[in-house]
Amino acid sequence: MSSILGVNSDSQLDPASLTMHSYDIGDAPSASDIANAIEAAVADNARIINISLGVRRPHAEIEKALKSAKDAGAFVVAATGNVRSLAPDYPARYDTALSVAATDANGECWTENPCDKADLTEAGVDIPVSKSNGKVVEESGSSIAASETTRKIVEGILSGRIKDASKFESSQLDG
């Protein structure tokens, strides 16, 4: 969550001005766990849902939950997964989610994730994040890239550059 808040970046976000929820679904979540977390976020009136995990196969419950999120006006950002040269994970592979893959400091695709099949790419290699114990470590992956994208969308909404996250286009991240 620290990368979404921009804790270790030049972000202008004021964490105190945001309401954030984390839905911990464990280390080995099932498709049902993911769908239930999406539904819980929708029930909590989430405007933006960041999903930094996934499953390899499509699942009707996830697809239904994503439709529910879209119908409620929530915008979903999902990590592609870190499986080199395969298609993105679900829910990132669904059209109702913005799929994000990681790039390195030079803007090159991180070799551990499928950039060519992502909706967009974002810095996601060696990004400083704060752990729950307060220690700052560098992490890499599409999950970090999705979090960075989510932060930029939140910043865009707060600055007025993005009027409606449900109608988001990647060009709105510029500036």
Side-chain angles (χ1 to χ4, degrees):
M1 207 178 311
S2 70
S3 60
I4 292 175
L5 292 173
V7 171
N8 300 307
S9 71
D10 60 356
S11 174
Q12 301 301 309
L13 281 181
D14 174 12
S17 69
L18 303 173
T19 301
M20 293 184 64
H21 298 274
S22 176
Y23 303 90
D24 185 0
I25 56 177
D27 294 332
S30 68
S32 293
D33 294 332
I34 295 169
N36 290 338
I38 295 168
E39 291 288 353
V42 170
D44 287 338
N45 298 310
R47 291 178 59 196
I48 302 171
I49 300 171
N50 175 276
I51 304 172
S52 290
L53 49 80
V55 294
R56 293 303 308 154
R57 291 188 166 79
H59 198 279
E61 282 184 81
I62 293 175
E63 192 169 20
K64 180 181 173 196
L66 289 173
K67 182 179 180 332
S68 174
K70 183 176 181 177
D71 291 348
F75 187 73
V76 177
V77 179
T80 59
N82 301 326
V83 183
R84 176 186 353 205
S85 66
L86 292 179
D89 286 345
Y90 291 92
R93 207 177 318 179
Y94 288 115
D95 291 339
T96 46
L98 176 74
S99 62
V100 183
T103 57
D104 63 22
N106 297 319
E108 298 294 322
C109 181
W110 185 51
T111 59
E112 301 300 316
N113 69 165
C115 288
D116 61 332
K117 296 178 177 122
D119 293 322
L120 63 86
T121 60
E122 179 61 61
V125 177
D126 299 328
I127 303 297
V129 297
S130 294
K131 300 307 246 181
S132 60
N133 64 4
K135 185 176 181 179
V136 175
V137 299
E138 289 185 344
E139 291 189 358
S140 300
S142 63
S143 295
I144 300 299
S147 295
E148 292 287 305
T149 298
T150 299
R151 176 181 49 78
K152 288 183 176 184
I153 292 170
V154 170
E155 289 173 337
I157 289 169
L158 293 176
S159 72
R161 282 191 329 271
I162 298 173
K163 303 293 184 209
D164 182 351
S166 67
K167 296 180 176 81
F168 169 78
E169 293 181 19
S170 60
S171 62
Q172 292 172 300
L173 293 179
D174 300 333

